[in-house]
Amino acid sequence: MLAEWEQQSAVQLTWPHKDTDWAPILPEITAVYEEMAREISQREDLIIVAPEGFVKPVAKCQLVIVKSNDTWARDHGFITVKENSGELILLDFCFNGWGEKFEAKLDNEINGHLYEQGTIKGHYESHLDFVLEGGSIESDGKGTVFTTTCCLMAPHRNQPLTQAEIESRLKDNLGAERIVWLNHGSLIGDDTDGHIDTLVSICPEDTILYTGGDASHPDLMLMEEELKTLRTLDGHPYRLLKLPLPRPIYDGEDRLPATYANYLVINGAVLVPTYNQPDLDADALHIIGEAYPDREIIGIDCRAVIKQHGSLHCCTMQYY
């Protein structure tokens, strides 16, 4: 499985529309997607999946008319691996709405449409017998894949498979030498059962960016201790960079899962979620810049996105 910071050919956005849960704030979320589209299309190809009648927000994009239930391309998009021969393999896993919490039939069919239309290049492999979301795994591109037990062992995904059986499947499908399971870490308001991309991000030079904890998230502090014990395949400790935890943001009485770890790496830049908290936003941008010193660090206000419990990484999927 390739690392996200490798040279990309395109990024996919599955666009919000009136038949998604975004309907009550459609103008607000559309503005965020338009900002993402502008930044991505300046640096690489942009693929937009949208329903009939959609008008391109930027000139430089490939529009694919496909029906969708929702917009989380990270979790219904192809996962790309690269053979030793250099051939790209597009892995199509089952997306079932994060353990059958939400309707996902149309989203689960998007990859087939993209491949049939020739939108994405590579060799198609169906793995629709196995539930796996892109947000639940992180790769260093060198044979280590990171994930969380709370997500991959959650109900309504791959039962009755054991953890050992799931690990074997991940190794086989993703070309991994080892799977690192994190046993701690979750955000209040998260409905993915603990996707790793809300907590931990693997970066170049054996660096790990991670979400710091506080009194309201003691499990994040346990995750930090767990990260300190990890070693690379060469036996060295990782360089750990702690991201601040945004101050609480609520939708009514519900606390939303705001996180800076859910950023998007693209060619020449990193798009980072911000939350109108100038001091913490600035700290997060600076720290992420330490991990990506050769890229432009760009903040995008994601207060609208977290109203549906996601952020920039969740909204996107990169291809190579």
Side-chain angles (χ1 to χ4, degrees):
M1 182 179 172
L2 293 164
E4 293 186 20
W5 57 84
E6 297 185 43
Q7 185 70 17
Q8 300 171 8
S9 65
V11 169
Q12 176 186 335
L13 290 174
T14 302
W15 207 264
H17 54 84
K18 63 179 179 59
D19 296 321
T20 65
D21 289 342
W22 295 111
I25 59 165
L26 194 55
E28 188 179 355
I29 189 62
T30 298
V32 180
Y33 268 69
E34 288 173 343
E35 187 174 0
M36 283 193 287
R38 285 192 297 270
E39 295 293 349
I40 294 166
S41 64
Q42 289 174 21
R43 297 167 176 86
E44 57 190 275
D45 289 344
L46 174 64
I47 299 165
I48 293 179
V49 173
E52 290 281 356
F54 179 76
V55 179
K56 290 183 180 183
V58 292
K60 187 185 175 185
C61 73
Q62 184 171 358
L63 178 60
V64 182
I65 302 301
V66 178
K67 293 181 179 180
S68 63
N69 299 108
D70 214 325
T71 58
W72 308 110
R74 179 64 47 180
D75 296 336
H76 61 245
F78 283 113
I79 294 170
T80 308
V81 300
K82 190 175 184 179
E83 295 280 13
N84 290 334
S85 64
E87 182 180 21
L88 295 175
I89 311 297
L90 303 172
L91 306 181
D92 189 7
F93 290 99
C94 177
F95 174 60
N96 72 346
W98 309 287
E100 300 175 355
K101 295 184 184 73
F102 304 95
E103 177 57 44
K105 180 179 182 296
L106 296 175
D107 292 343
N108 199 43
E109 296 172 349
I110 289 173
N111 288 342
H113 291 296
L114 293 178
Y115 188 74
E116 290 167 6
Q117 296 182 33
T119 305
I120 299 171
K121 305 303 180 185
H123 175 74
Y124 177 92
E125 280 190 7
S126 175
H127 295 275
L128 294 172
D129 62 329
F130 188 76
V131 176
L132 186 68
E133 302 120 22
S136 70
I137 50 177
E138 286 271 331
S139 174
D140 67 356
K142 300 187 293 185
T144 298
V145 170
F146 299 75
T147 191
T148 62
T149 52
C150 60
C151 179
L152 265 63
M153 300 303 297
H156 307 293
R157 280 183 166 85
N158 289 304
Q159 286 78 11
L161 295 182
T162 66
Q163 183 171 334
E165 289 170 330
I166 290 173
E167 175 165 326
S168 177
R169 180 73 183 252
L170 293 176
K171 286 181 176 179
D172 289 344
N173 294 163
L174 304 179
E177 186 171 338
R178 65 170 181 163
I179 307 298
V180 173
W181 296 83
L182 295 179
N183 299 306
H184 296 283
S186 62
L187 293 176
I188 296 171
D190 172 47
D191 53 17
T192 67
D193 301 306
H195 270 188
I196 195 167
D197 71 349
T198 65
L199 306 167
V200 169
S201 180
I202 312 306
C203 311
E205 307 299 332
D206 294 328
T207 296
I208 294 178
L209 283 162
Y210 67 97
T211 302
D214 62 9
S216 66
H217 288 84
D219 204 44
L220 291 177
M221 292 186 280
L222 293 174
M223 183 186 76
E224 180 177 32
E225 295 306 310
E226 195 172 8
L227 292 172
K228 290 177 181 178
T229 70
L230 297 183
R231 296 296 181 267
T232 67
L233 282 170
D234 296 329
H236 301 294
Y238 286 90
R239 176 193 181 207
L240 301 179
L241 298 177
K242 182 192 292 190
L243 290 166
L245 184 68
R247 284 184 285 273
I249 302 173
Y250 292 91
D251 185 10
E253 296 182 355
D254 297 327
R255 182 167 174 174
L256 300 174
T259 171
Y260 294 108
N262 202 260
Y263 59 80
L264 174 68
V265 180
I266 58 177
N267 296 338
V270 183
L271 307 186
V272 179
T274 61
Y275 301 101
N276 195 33
Q277 299 181 10
D279 56 336
L280 296 181
D281 293 346
D283 286 347
L285 292 167
H286 174 75
I287 294 165
I288 291 171
E290 290 184 46
Y292 292 94
D294 58 340
R295 297 179 194 240
E296 185 179 4
I297 310 299
I298 301 166
I300 292 182
D301 190 331
C302 284
R303 285 175 293 168
V305 189
I306 60 165
K307 289 183 180 179
Q308 288 297 331
H309 306 268
S311 203
L312 298 180
H313 194 257
C314 301
C315 296
T316 54
M317 178 54 85
Q318 75 284 336
Y319 296 105
Y320 303 90

